[in-house]
Amino acid sequence: MRFLALLFLGCSFALSTHAATPPNVVFIMADDLGYSDLGCYGGEIATPNLDGLAKEGLRFTQFYNTARCWPSRSALMSGFYAQQIHRDALPELGGGGQGVRQKWARLLPDFLKPAGYRSYHSGKWHIDGPVLAGGFDRSLDMKNQGNFFTSAGNSIDDVPVKVPADEKGYYATIATADHAIECLQDHAKNHSGKPFFHYIAFIAPHFPLHALPEDIAKYRDKYLAGWEAMREARYARQKEMGLTNTELSKLEEKVGPPYDFPEAIEKLGPGEVNRPLPWASLTDEQRRFQATKMAIHAAMVDRMDQEIGRVLAQLKSMDAYENTLICFASDNGASAEIMVRNGGHDPKAEPGSAATYLCLGPGFSSACNTPHRRHKTWVHEGGISTPFIVHWPAGISAKGELRHTPAHVIDFVPTVLDLAKIEKPKAWEGEAIPEAPGKSLVPAFIKDETITRDSLWWLHEGNRAIRIGDWKLVAAKDDAWSLYDLKTDRAEQHDLAKKMPDKVEELAAAWQEKTGAFTMLARQTQADQPVSKAKGKAQGKGKGKGKKKD
């Protein structure tokens, strides 16, 4: 009885704290980070700052994104599935990265502003429209995603930057943190009486694999044992941490990048490998090339964590750390893509430098997504699973605990509004706002309980899935449905579709019902979508496969 009483008091304390003082909110998003890349999720990369947040906060084991950059960001900031707001394709309507949200599809800052919040954005945007029009007060929009060593193409407060004659020392990850810190310093000086929301969206570790030489040096020879050894080591640590109870997925040697760019393979040279083949079967040149790419990826994650440490130090210096809800996630799983864009690739240049254009590829992407299957763009668990860290000393009494409830980026908006005691409006400028699908995660902040919902739904480039309870129905584009029991098989190794056709039919009908409802909603404003000059039709109906910027 004494234990139950103490538990009740602890829960009441957490609830009363957030009710009395609405928190500041910081959401940190990585780009193309694998589920197991952080130390606190089983990785060997040095991430002490994020590990520290996890140790003093919560780690969610079943948190999801949308499998791709722009849909995840739109869902995160709006609380709607991207297809509901024209930000990803639907079978009958098309759509995608060029789609424009309905007027009622507001972003989180618009709901926070009436409660006195100021909102800041630092880093990648990739949501439709100018940043400040989304309700933010200040922004660094890193539109340049092809070179980490120049600010060319970026905007500050939606105004293009003037590129200095000498940008020696510029690195995008550092610049993102610099801007975030400057915004926080200004807030402390001029707006200290107001709460703030800060969306910090690092481009790292998205391709091209660009990193500082001193960071690469820390990992140069670390991955020469290969992707199988890396997967096994990470998996063992995950099991020890209690992060997973599934078996380790098998490498799919016939599954390569989602888009085929044979000319890129030729440019990258004989060290490139576009399949997760057995490490022992590779040549010495291939093993060194692949291990070097993974070393650069690790260096990018390492540097991101270092810069996050600087942001945390700023929060502490302005006495805001205790009452700031800090969340961290990735927009999709690690990427199997291999391509050469922007300034091209100089094979003679130092790997990781501005003259190179390298991508992680399917071998080490599989390892980064341990223990799950597949990669970014697929809606198998490897494409949609992300680490999710939540830290809020003033509001969450639990420390170092795991949360097993399935959750999704659509849950962020309702969670913040719940904590800030803000009632979301039913309409915007006379237009009704439809009911959003996300759920507040506040109950899971208090204890490890499952958030009740009817389903979680996915669709991207023909890859589709639905999760109801522990049952997941999933299919790659043009493939038949597969059925998995995620309670024991998040590795998606044991297809139960043939054994349980009734369950397949039930989940398929639920997926189609959701898809139909989203289509009906989007169809209402389909005529307002921009017209592609190249195609003379609503933007996004053409596939343009492999050409999207993400």
Side-chain angles (χ1 to χ4, degrees), residues 23-26 323-327 390-392 396 416 419 445:
N24 306 305
V25 180
V26 173
N323 195 36
T324 297
L325 172 72
I326 302 172
C327 302
V390 177
H391 179 273
W392 180 26
I396 299 176
V416 173
L419 292 174
F445 291 176

Side-chain angles (χ1 to χ4, degrees), residues 233-244:
R234 288 190 175 191
Y235 177 62
R237 286 190 291 270
Q238 289 174 330
K239 293 283 283 187
E240 185 178 351
M241 292 175 176
L243 287 166
T244 187

Side-chain angles (χ1 to χ4, degrees), residues 150-164:
T150 179
S151 63
N154 294 340
S155 295
I156 293 179
D157 297 337
D158 295 329
V159 177
V161 301
K162 185 177 180 180
V163 182

Side-chain angles (χ1 to χ4, degrees), residues 251-257 274-278 362 374-375 378:
L251 285 172
E252 297 180 272
E253 295 181 17
K254 294 183 180 180
V255 178
N274 68 348
R275 295 291 186 275
L277 302 174
R374 299 272 171 112
H375 323 266
W378 281 279

